[in-house]
Amino acid sequence: MDFNFTDEQQMLRDSVSSFLQRSYDFDARNKIVRGSDGWSRAVWEQLAEIGLLALPIAEEAGGLGGSAPDLVVIAEPFGAHLLAEPFLATALLAAPLLAKAESGELEAIMGGSKIAALAYEEGHGTADPSQIAMTAKRDGDGFVLEGEKRMVLAGADADLLLVVARLDGKLALFAVASGQGDTVTTGYQTIDGRRAANIRFTGARLGGDALLSADIGPVLREVLDIALLALCAESVGAMGELLARTADYAATRKQFGVPVLTFQAVAHRLADMKIAYTKARATLLYTAALMEAGHASERDMAILKGQIGKLGREVGEAAIQTHGGVGMTDELAISHLHKRILANDALLGGFEYHLRKVGNLT
């Protein structure tokens, strides 16, 4: 396996990083997150112009057919810059499912004019579709949805909601337009600044054309694996930024007239941070190569998520400790980067869940 990025991938990485450095520094990002929308439509349109919203979509569906390493290339800078726009919700979770269903909404999603979200999680905190309990019942020519979806990223902002529910014993996929059906949406902000929602369906009636797929189960697992890879890449990007900022702080912050980096305890902590980051990134690149080769197993994905979540917490806690009290404040990026790692760990199963899963699959 080749663990090096190609010239084209490195150019893409440089392009995304350059764009974020110009338009999405820490202060600009905080202003966006604290705004009424919580994310920037101008930035979203620029992501679409660059082609990033079409990157995860197969070429036969009109996308760019990006590979697993391609997603790592862009997700690492996203994590380092704490991107708040709904890329994960729309481009990685919803759009690939729309592509499989050959939905006419896909073009608007890739073009950036519409936002889509996947209503999947029901509070179990895992990446296991077998945990889905929400039901859909046939009602004449249509359907009735009953149940609640939780932690729906961009759920309150979405123009189109994709809902996974059980129909005739299988997992089906339904398209619900904004404001359609009898639903109660409770929007909120996650600990890392992104927008999400809990959505309750109480006898929500849908037309027959709302059914996009009567058996989305196998495709859903593939989509969740890609999203899991991107989450881990984001966290690795945040870890790298934490390491860089902490090393710079330790080299310039002085106590007793000397940089704190000269203190043995601080130097050892930074060394441990670098080892953890290097191990996490190596696991990420190895798993991405496995996915590209079609050899990534359920155990491989569990190892990736478990390792990144555990090592990411270690790096974040060490960065905060090195910065002292200011590391906990909102004025520094340190606490925000740590919270992004924690939020990513909680999505699609925390590290403890995945490490137990590795033991069960051994």
Side-chain angles (χ1 to χ4, degrees):
M1 294 181 182
D2 186 359
F3 298 104
N4 296 311
F5 291 136
T6 65
D7 291 341
E8 290 79 8
Q9 287 169 340
Q10 190 59 53
M11 289 175 61
L12 175 61
R13 182 186 183 90
D14 293 342
S15 176
V16 172
S17 297
S18 177
F19 162 68
L20 293 174
Q21 287 169 4
R22 291 193 315 271
S23 308
Y24 215 86
D25 63 19
F26 180 61
D27 291 336
R29 183 261 182 192
N30 278 353
K31 185 176 181 181
I32 289 171
V33 169
R34 291 167 183 165
S36 58
D37 291 335
W39 56 282
S40 169
R41 294 189 180 273
V43 171
W44 188 250
E45 291 172 0
Q46 288 176 293
L47 294 179
E49 288 177 7
I50 297 172
L52 300 188
L53 304 188
L55 186 67
I57 308 304
E59 292 182 5
E60 55 267 28
L64 298 179
S67 64
D70 291 336
L71 294 178
V72 169
V73 162
I74 65 172
E76 281 190 283
F78 284 174
H81 289 269
L82 297 167
L83 191 79
E85 282 61 39
F87 183 82
L88 175 68
T90 297
L92 293 182
L93 288 173
L97 293 176
L98 289 171
K100 291 290 184 180
E102 299 182 352
S103 170
E105 298 283 357
L106 182 60
E107 185 175 351
I109 299 299
M110 292 191 296
S113 60
K114 285 190 176 182
I115 301 296
L118 175 64
Y120 158 78
E121 173 63 50
E122 295 181 358
H124 303 289
T126 75
D128 185 1
S130 67
Q131 298 290 323
I132 295 177
M134 184 174 174
T135 61
K137 296 181 180 179
R138 298 185 183 276
D139 181 36
D141 294 333
F143 304 91
V144 175
L145 296 182
E146 193 78 38
E148 183 179 11
K149 296 296 184 180
R150 308 189 69 182
M151 195 60 184
V152 182
L153 292 175
D157 299 315
D159 302 294
L160 182 66
L161 196 65
L162 302 185
V163 183
V164 181
R166 294 195 174 277
L167 176 68
D168 301 331
K170 296 181 179 180
L171 292 179
L173 184 69
F174 296 88
V176 181
S178 177
Q180 181 183 3
D182 188 4
T183 63
V184 177
T185 301
T186 304
Y188 51 87
Q189 193 171 47
T190 62
I191 62 168
D192 63 321
R194 286 177 289 195
R195 298 299 174 101
N198 295 340
I199 305 174
R200 177 173 290 279
F201 299 82
T202 307
R205 298 182 180 277
L206 306 175
D209 59 349
L211 180 64
L212 297 181
S213 173
D215 185 12
I216 200 65
V219 175
L220 180 61
R221 284 190 176 275
E222 296 176 10
V223 170
L224 291 176
D225 279 348
I226 288 293
L228 188 151
L229 178 75
L231 278 174
C232 290
E234 268 199 5
S235 293
V236 169
M239 291 169 68
E241 186 70 11
L242 280 169
L243 178 59
R245 287 177 178 267
T246 305
D248 181 66
Y249 177 83
T252 55
R253 176 74 168 91
K254 290 185 177 182
Q255 287 186 359
F256 307 109
V258 296
V260 297
L261 184 58
T262 61
F263 301 156
Q264 191 176 56
V266 175
H268 285 182
R269 190 183 300 135
L270 280 167
D272 289 341
M273 288 176 67
K274 187 169 184 179
I275 290 171
Y277 167 69
T278 302
K279 184 177 180 180
R281 193 161 193 266
T283 306
L284 172 67
L285 296 180
Y286 175 70
T287 308
L290 284 177
M291 293 183 73
E292 178 65 7
H295 297 311
S297 66
E298 186 178 358
R299 184 173 182 272
D300 292 319
M301 302 308 297
I303 289 174
L304 173 66
K305 192 64 161 61
Q307 284 278 57
I308 300 301
K310 183 174 183 295
L311 294 171
R313 284 172 178 260
E314 293 175 4
V315 170
E317 290 168 2
I320 290 173
Q321 188 172 4
T322 303
H323 280 78
V326 296
M328 295 292 293
T329 66
D330 284 345
E331 283 69 27
L332 291 188
I334 302 303
S335 64
H336 297 268
L337 290 162
H338 183 51
K339 286 187 281 190
R340 172 57 60 97
I341 291 172
L342 295 179
N344 284 350
D345 179 46
L347 292 169
L348 301 182
F351 77 91
E352 291 178 335
Y353 163 78
H354 281 283
L355 292 179
R356 286 197 302 268
K357 188 175 179 180
V358 170
N360 293 333
L361 292 172
T362 300

